[in-house]
Amino acid sequence: MFKKILIANRGEIALRIIRTCKEMGIKTVAVYSTVDKESLHVRFADEAVCIGPAPSPLSYLNIPNIIAAAEITNADAIHPGYGFLSENAKFSEICRKHGIKFIGATPEQINSMGDKANAKATMKDAGVPLIPGSDGLLEDTKEGKRVAVEVGYPVIIKATAGGGGRGMRIIWKEEDFDAAWDSARQESKAAFGNDGIYLEKYIEEPRHIEIQLAGDQYGTVCHLSERDCSIQRRHQKLVEECPSPFVTPEMREKMGNAAKAGAAMIAYEGVGTIEFLVDKHRNFYFMEMNTRIQVEHPVTEEVINYDLVKEQILIAAGVPISGKDYFPKDRWAMECRINAEDPYNNFRPCPGKITSLHKPGGHGVRVDTHIYAGYTIPSNYDSMIAKLIVIAQTREECIVKMDRSLQEFIVEGVETTIPLQIQLMRNDDFKAGNFTTAFMDTFKLV
Ligand code: MV4
């Protein structure tokens, strides 16, 4: 087992990883930027190393400084958390070259899933259902228009290096093709330095449902059921739950098996997620694979009653997994991502000092956060300040518990998304499980 793990991240996930390491008897090294000096991950780690100034490229994305921090502290592994360097193939490879275990995917796996057109080709070989569209990248608009007629409008063109919605354009009719093509190419060239584009039939008002996977170093892969992440705004998730109110037992089995086949295809090692788009007829299609621990992992943890960060560390250390798939029974978990944003002012970020704080508690309530009364939220990083997770036996109980926990959650000094999430818990369509990724487009905050 590892003796010392360096956590190449900040905020709640850094704290989350430190907690598991402590329970496993593993020493921890925090890294921090100058504005994070007073953070809890710095305080709770055994050692801490400053890796640069506030801007992420100079600190949390600064590979030489992070490797140097690992070497001077004698860390034998690095946990990257989510975001930052968690899906950076080069970083995974540099760790390998330095004899430091990267607790995440191999460079080969990250590369094969990072290029989306390539990822689709891999999933096709594994027999995972794909959205009808181009076979790989498009040569030109002529080919694009031909495939669009084949699959039928509306279509969507996507950047192969994309993700999170950047470099994507929906095209409703042929006369709009050229303009969409030009702007998608420009945007992806600027954002990713890669202007490869592929095309798919546009699925209207889908659900976003993802399967949690775990694979070990010996080729065993299992699934840990699904999460429904359809409640999001501008590709930022606001509420996630496990299981999905839309997934039937038969569908779970099919989606789980498809996801396992996809992960097995790349001999996936670690915990990962395969995201599916699901249409109103319950057809599901591969969207992308995430080769990291995700923000929303706690809802799965609460339902399966197991620590996924511990699972990651054990897998990285070469411990075999049981290989048993998990099908939820009599347990439901829901998470609200609490952001320091003003939902009444177009979700304007609200960094600044938290003047007073009361966190909710009670049976079935978990709060993953790095904030405390007196903490100043820096403006340099994303605005998520806490994850409120509740667990109950049924979805109905979960929603009631979430509502009362949100009401108990008092954050003063900055605006937060809490008022929006309270109203969501009282929305009839949400309560009925009747929603798609388009839900927030028409949600009226009062
Ligand atoms: C789609 C789609 C509809 N049809 N692809 C958005 C992020 C990127 N990972 C893929 N996305 C989408 N791809 C086809 N063929 C709709 C979306 C989409 C979406 C997907 C998941 C969650 C929220 C979303 C919000 C808008 C669009």
Side-chain angles (χ1 to χ4, degrees), residues 176-189:
D176 299 332
F177 202 101
D178 292 327
W181 173 267
D182 290 338
S183 74
R185 274 179 81 102
Q186 266 175 31
E187 187 176 317
S188 30
K189 184 88 197 165

Side-chain angles (χ1 to χ4, degrees), residues 131 156 158 164-165 168 200-203 206 208 232 235 275 277 287-288 437:
I131 303 170
I156 185 167
K158 297 182 177 178
M168 247 172 48
E200 290 175 345
K201 170 87 185 157
Y202 180 61
I203 312 282
H208 170 148
Q232 51 80 46
H235 307 293
E275 301 180 347
L277 275 185
M287 188 160 53
E288 17 191 288
T437 56

Side-chain angles (χ1 to χ4, degrees), residues 309-322:
V309 172
K310 181 175 177 184
E311 188 84 347
Q312 283 188 296
I313 295 169
L314 291 173
I315 290 169
V319 176
I321 62 172
S322 84

Side-chain angles (χ1 to χ4, degrees), residues 29 38 40 51 53 105 119 183-184 258 284 309 339 344 348 368 415:
V29 181
E38 306 300 327
L40 291 186
I51 50 166
S183 74
F284 61 89
V309 172
N339 296 329
Y344 291 97
R348 169 183 64 90
D368 279 17
E415 300 302 322

Side-chain angles (χ1 to χ4, degrees), residues 116 120 131-132 155-156 158 162-166 168 170 198-209 229-230 232 234-235 237 275-277 287-288 437-438 441:
K116 309 299 173 198
K120 277 188 82 170
I131 303 170
V155 298
I156 185 167
K158 297 182 177 178
R166 276 203 297 180
M168 247 172 48
I170 302 161
Y198 64 101
L199 179 147
E200 290 175 345
K201 170 87 185 157
Y202 180 61
I203 312 282
E204 292 180 61
E205 309 211 345
R207 287 191 174 240
H208 170 148
I209 300 175
C229 307
S230 302
Q232 51 80 46
R234 299 196 178 168
H235 307 293
K237 295 166 186 169
E275 301 180 347
F276 292 101
L277 275 185
M287 188 160 53
E288 17 191 288
T437 56
D441 299 346

Side-chain angles (χ1 to χ4, degrees), residues 69-138:
E71 296 207 308
I72 58 169
T73 56
N74 256 314
D76 44 12
I78 294 183
H79 196 307
Y82 51 68
F84 295 126
L85 296 169
S86 60
E87 291 173 291
N88 185 308
K90 207 170 237 149
F91 184 59
S92 176
E93 184 170 355
I94 290 169
C95 288
R96 182 194 274 171
K97 283 203 177 115
H98 282 76
I100 301 165
K101 181 69 184 176
F102 178 76
I103 304 176
T106 65
E108 296 77 18
Q109 290 159 352
I110 295 173
N111 278 328
S112 76
M113 292 298 120
D115 182 286
K116 309 299 173 198
N118 185 44
K120 277 188 82 170
T122 305
M123 292 300 152
K124 185 179 181 181
D125 292 340
V128 183
L130 302 183
I131 303 170
S134 61
D135 202 5
L137 298 182
L138 291 171

Side-chain angles (χ1 to χ4, degrees), residues 132-178:
S134 61
D135 202 5
L137 298 182
L138 291 171
E139 284 291 332
D140 49 29
T141 56
K142 187 161 163 264
E143 187 192 4
K145 289 174 192 172
R146 183 178 57 71
V147 182
V149 169
E150 231 173 77
V151 300
Y153 282 93
V155 298
I156 185 167
I157 54 175
K158 297 182 177 178
T160 194
R166 276 203 297 180
M168 247 172 48
R169 296 289 181 279
I170 302 161
I171 311 176
W172 294 91
K173 48 191 194 307
E174 185 164 309
E175 66 195 78
D176 299 332
F177 202 101
D178 292 327

